[in-house]
Amino acid sequence: MDTGAIDLPESAAIEDGALDALFAPFTPHPRILIAVSGGPDSTALLYLAARWRAGRASGPDLIAATVDHGLRAEAAAEAEAVGAFATLLGVPHRILIWQGAKPTHGIQEAAREARYDLLAGAAREAGATAIALAHTRDDQAETVLFRLARGSGLSGLSGMRGDAARDGLALLRPLLDVPKARLVATLEAASVAFVRDPSNSDPRFARPRLRALAPALAAEGLDARRLAVLARRIARADQALEAATDAAEAAVIRLGPEEHPGAVSLDVRAFAALPDEIALRLLGRAIQKVGTEGPVELAKLEALYEALKAAARVPSGPFRRTLAGALVSLRGADLCVSAAPPRRERGLLARNSPVDGPVVLGKKGPRS
């Protein structure tokens, strides 16, 4: 669980006295893979983690890995330079190469997914239980702005977690409340070289454009620190809402997929009495459990929920809608969420429905 901000000065190099607090999340793990691109943030993470581990009698084994995406001619030499630096620190290092054809659109998103897959594979192969990532307070602020611009819900606006999990591996971000400027100052004080990826300032991509706005936003008081505080507060509220949804799920669901394979049945009256946010989350969970088409888009889930509320208030015939590969229907006192029929059958249902009848929608899930 994210412990919140670590009280560090805004400028000057990070001293040894701060390292135990920064790397406390490392201690439960026997071996940790550190993702190092060669940029200032990840180079500082490797340097500080090695410094921290060298000052302890025991602790996790550290290994490092660099992904060469094959997108820049300089990438191979940069990966080799990271390997040389890791060796100097006494940390084993691997270079992971993203092979195969690269997409012409959404290259940064595709590279991010490929990078995680390669790192996760290397971590498992090495027996590591965690991957350490070098996201900073500045990255957290950009994430909040990026998701806000794309209409995210509360879960998305809570930003990145200092500790998370994915596919059985812990994702650790020990520098999440450290300003990038402190990491650069730390490397400069130690005369440690690093590289700057030109794609991080390429205006073709959304994050660099948001990064360029940072000075103007900071001048108005919306700096990285305040955005990071906002993310922590939203995360706290989101955690409370999830707990309330857990309680509602226990009270409202009649049958789940365990007792009723492929479907979830909810009590309509009890569901209608829930606060909107809790009911919305519960509906999203049910769709996520039985749907077959990936994450549920929040805007589509909200539209479905509003239509469902209207139908429950004034029953005027059967209610059947599909979203993210799930069929949501009202059946007397039950709200049923089941696997949707094949798309061809859905099309026939839509064409044969009366003009004022239910509309059959496409689907995705509560993506925040």
Side-chain angles (χ1 to χ4, degrees), residues 24-269:
F26 277 29
T27 55
H29 298 279
R31 181 168 295 165
I32 296 170
L33 182 142
I34 302 175
V36 189
S37 68
D41 303 347
S42 60
T43 300
L45 174 61
L46 173 61
Y47 172 65
L48 292 170
R51 213 165 90 187
W52 167 76
R53 182 62 186 86
R56 297 171 58 88
S58 62
D61 294 331
L62 303 180
I63 56 176
T66 302
V67 176
D68 178 357
H69 297 90
L71 300 175
R72 294 185 298 114
E74 309 87 350
E78 291 168 1
E80 293 288 350
V82 172
F85 181 56
T87 300
L88 188 65
L89 296 172
V91 178
H93 177 264
R94 284 190 60 190
I95 296 174
L96 311 172
I97 299 176
W98 184 21
Q99 298 178 328
K102 310 300 189 292
T104 55
H105 300 289
I107 186 65
Q108 286 201 322
E109 292 78 5
R112 191 176 302 116
E113 285 302 308
R115 182 164 59 248
Y116 172 78
D117 289 342
L118 288 166
L119 291 169
R124 292 191 184 96
E125 186 177 324
T129 57
I131 299 173
L133 304 168
H135 295 113
T136 67
R137 179 191 293 169
D138 303 69
D139 297 316
Q140 182 75 301
E142 287 170 15
T143 296
V144 172
L145 289 173
F146 182 83
R147 293 178 179 177
L148 180 64
R150 277 152 180 72
S152 176
L154 288 181
S155 296
L157 295 180
S158 65
M160 296 178 285
R161 287 175 52 107
D163 62 342
R166 179 170 167 175
D167 299 333
L169 291 168
L171 302 182
L172 307 178
R173 298 181 174 95
L175 306 179
L176 196 55
D177 202 59
V178 178
K180 184 187 189 80
R182 292 211 69 211
L183 301 180
V184 173
T186 299
L187 296 178
E188 290 175 345
S191 298
V192 174
F194 57 86
V195 298
R196 294 188 185 275
D197 184 343
S199 67
N200 288 334
S201 55
D202 189 334
R204 292 178 299 168
F205 304 120
R207 284 182 180 269
R209 293 196 299 271
L210 290 172
R211 203 168 293 139
L213 295 174
L217 293 173
E220 298 296 333
L222 196 60
D223 59 9
R225 175 183 280 276
R226 287 190 176 173
L227 285 166
V229 168
L230 173 65
R232 285 198 299 275
R233 288 171 175 166
I234 292 177
R236 188 174 62 213
D238 187 60
Q239 186 178 36
L241 289 167
E242 282 295 290
T245 306
D246 289 342
E249 187 171 21
V252 171
I253 287 187
R254 293 183 189 272
L255 295 172
E258 301 78 15
E259 305 89 358
H260 189 27
V264 177
S265 178
L266 301 90
D267 182 283
V268 168
R269 288 181 180 274

Side-chain angles (χ1 to χ4, degrees), residues 22 44 47 51 102 227 236 271 289 301 304 313 321:
L22 279 176
Y47 172 65
R51 213 165 90 187
K102 310 300 189 292
L227 285 166
R236 188 174 62 213
F271 180 80
K289 284 179 180 177
L301 178 64
L304 172 60
R313 280 195 302 267
R321 300 281 180 98

Side-chain angles (χ1 to χ4, degrees), residues 276-300:
D276 283 346
E277 180 65 22
I278 305 304
L280 184 72
R281 288 173 181 241
L282 186 55
L283 179 63
R285 284 187 187 184
I287 291 172
Q288 202 76 39
K289 284 179 180 177
V290 302
T292 58
E293 295 176 9
V296 184
E297 291 181 8
L298 180 58
K300 291 183 178 181

